[in-house]
Amino acid sequence: MAGLGSWSLSVAALIALLLPGSREECGRINLPTPTVHLGDPLTASCIISPNCSHLGPETQIVWKVGRESQPGKRQQRLEDGSQEFTVTIPRLSSPRVLLSCYLRWGHSLQMLDQAEVQAGYPPAAPHNLSCLMNLTTNSLICQWEPGPNSHLPTNFTLKSFKSRGNCQTQEDSILDCVPSDGQNHCSIPRRHLQLYQNMGIWVQAENALGTTKSPQLCLVPMDVVKLEPPTLWALPPSPEAAPPQPGCLLLRWEPWKPSLYIEQKCELRHQPRLGEASWDLVGPLLSQTLQYELCGLLPSTAYALQMRCTRWPLPGQWSDWSPSLTLTTAQRAPIVRLDTWWQQRQLDPRTADMQLFWKPTPLDRYSGQIQGYLVRPAGPAGASPPLCNTTELSCTFRLPSEAREVVLVAYNTAGTSHPTPVVFLESRGPPLAGLHTMAQDPHRLWVGWEPPSPRPQGYVIEWGLGPPSPSGSNKTWKMEHNGSISGTLLQENIRPFQLYEITVTPLYQDSVGPSRHIYAYSQEMAPSRAPELHLKHIGKTWARLEWVPLPSELGKSPLTHYTVFWTSSARGQSFSTVLNASSHGLVLHGLEPASLYHVLLRATSKAGATNSTSLTLMTLALEESELHVLLGLFGFLLLFICLCGAARLCCRPSRKNPLWPSVPDPAHSSLGSWVPSIMVEETFQLPSLRDTGMPPITKITVLEEEEKKPGPWESNDSSGTCGLPTLVQAYVLQGDPRACSTQTQPQSGTSDQVLYGKVLGSPTSPGPGHYLRCDSTQPLLGGLTPSPKFYENLWFQTSPLGTPEPLVPNQEDDCVFGPLLDFPLLQGLQVHGVEGLGGI
């Protein structure tokens, strides 16, 4: 029940906080001042009234400056039972600060009060105070500059007083003048003024942090009177007066009517409308004259004129400048040089049709504007009517064949230019030695020539559109007066992709030279079309293409090369080749039979490229007989590869069990590296049995009987196969049988030695030698072939008496005897170093 009562008390307190009017009774913010100096600290307090004392002694207050929380300083209970919570803001950095006091209620905040604090600076003293007496509004208008912003509402007041001295003493106060908000000027009406009495005037600025005032201004209202500007007018020419001279203007002005009784002086300024020229000031001009002749100006030039006036000789303020008046000075006669050129066409023996061209070149910057041109016959002016009076730059007229000269002048309202004589010279001078052109860019052409001898005085260059344009239409020309130059740049009326005919004529003192022509482009175009492709011949894997080169076109850049593209429709592969511009055919190789191809020809020049129409072709298909031949060749090639692979597989030395017996070759065994230790002195040959084509025997072991012990055979311990009563000596035969050497090698000590055969012989035995064949199963040279069978070697040898004489082998081993020459591999045997073996 106690907990329920506490909860009821808290709810009641919250309702009391939320009820209207309860916030003021519960808490309020107390500020020492609502306005502080910007940057100064601020201390504020939030006082909780006794009405909120039931909230308990552990009440928590939260301060916020704007949206940021600010920690409180201290808490104390006042005498009336209220609680005071204090906060100090160390520095106010904003002109407007909203300070809030909150009560922490559970997990939320309840606002008790808010207060706005303003921060700023004291007002700065106004400056640049000035006043003008306006006779139009009949008031004294003063204006000033307020100074830097103080961030606080500031009130300005224009204060003044009347004084008879130098404003040191104040006689009568004048009603303050308060300007409208945001304005820095104020007007004192005429009823508060004494026009010819001194006044002291100043401006006072005031805000919440202080008051300042401007320096005092002491003046007489009529001394600062500002007149309105006069009105300028052009003085019309008078029939009695002479017209103004070139460079002069006549003008008048009318003063402002309220200032007619005031003596004034004025200033006049003028500025030419050409470019950004500055103003030139003329004055002072007294108001009694009211008109003025301004000279020293440029002829035929428009000028802007303005005037202002002030009170004089008494003090006063200058009026504003009057609105501008624009006048143009009189023209001068044209001061120009007229360059002339002509074309003559003989109509009949007595009359010639002349076409005269001219170009004006101003000789003076301020030459008068030309209004027309006059062509008259040579002689005194006015003696004969003019031939032409035109505003154009050309004229066509007829002359008698004997007339050789006319006169050309330019004129305007101010007069005529100096006469320019035009003499129609005969064409009998030397021609130019050469003429050439070069394009600088699409709108400029350089034309050059080789000056003739003697050197001309000048040149006339004409250019215009060439064929098919009509001759002489819209031609442009210019004259070069320097006869030593060898070229000029044409920049007028030049367009790209146009053919121009250029004519250069040399000018001599009393004649002209023959004209030379040349055609040129400032920029050429790409070819308009490419040659058409034609299929001349086609095969199964090739195709011959031809085209007819197109003739050169005017305005088209010459071709530099051709490019042929072809694409396979089946595989989508593309190929190309580049040919020179003189080519007119191509053979495509490497095509696939019965395939579709698209071929394209591109013609390229320096100006661009153009493609021809696409040509589609189909290669021929292979015939049935050709298919059979190709299949047969392919099968034969496959069979050959299989045979080679099988042979290589079966003949590899590393195979342990070949498909057929492998007969060892002693010449390529390890025995072939043995060399006899004793050089032989005699060579035995068997002419009847020797075969030069057979390879030499690698190793032969000869058993020789001792001279003093002709007993029975004894076994040789070193051989390890047969016990024989003879001395065994090894012979190694290598290379040429006629130039071989022998060396004795040990009979044992090598693990891979295999005994193949032994030759038995005795120098004292009358019979032929015998061999001893060991039927050992040990493989020879690493092979697995056993000893030969009985039909491969002879087991019996016929004795000299014709009876078979068997050789008795040793029964303890498998060695057999036989004649020496019956062994097949001994047919090329040569025995060295053994005496008495002639019976072998």
Side-chain angles (χ1 to χ4, degrees), residues 177 206 365 478 652 705 708 774:
C177 181
E206 181 180 3
R365 178 182 177 184
K478 73 174 184 176
R652 291 177 60 186
E705 242 180 1
K708 296 183 179 182
C774 295

Side-chain angles (χ1 to χ4, degrees), residues 157-232:
T157 305
L158 180 65
K159 294 181 174 294
S160 60
F161 63 88
K162 299 176 183 178
S163 175
R164 292 191 180 274
N166 294 330
C167 302
Q168 300 296 327
T169 60
Q170 179 178 348
E171 292 186 357
D172 296 327
S173 297
I174 301 176
L175 189 64
D176 293 342
C177 181
V178 179
S180 302
D181 292 339
Q183 293 184 352
N184 300 322
H185 60 85
C186 196
S187 299
I188 302 176
R190 169 72 178 82
R191 63 180 178 272
H192 301 302
L193 300 177
Q194 292 291 335
L195 296 181
Y196 296 95
Q197 184 180 1
N198 286 337
M199 293 180 59
I201 304 174
W202 73 95
V203 179
Q204 177 178 296
E206 181 180 3
N207 65 12
L209 296 181
T211 303
T212 58
K213 64 179 183 177
S214 67
Q216 182 176 294
L217 185 64
C218 186
L219 55 85
V220 177
M222 285 303 294
D223 290 346
V224 293
V225 65
K226 181 178 180 181
L227 305 177
E228 292 295 325
T231 303
L232 280 175

Side-chain angles (χ1 to χ4, degrees), residues 719-738:
S719 64
T721 49
C722 301
L724 301 176
T726 56
L727 180 63
V728 179
Q729 183 177 0
Y731 290 84
V732 178
L733 306 174
Q734 295 179 348
D736 191 355
R738 293 180 299 274

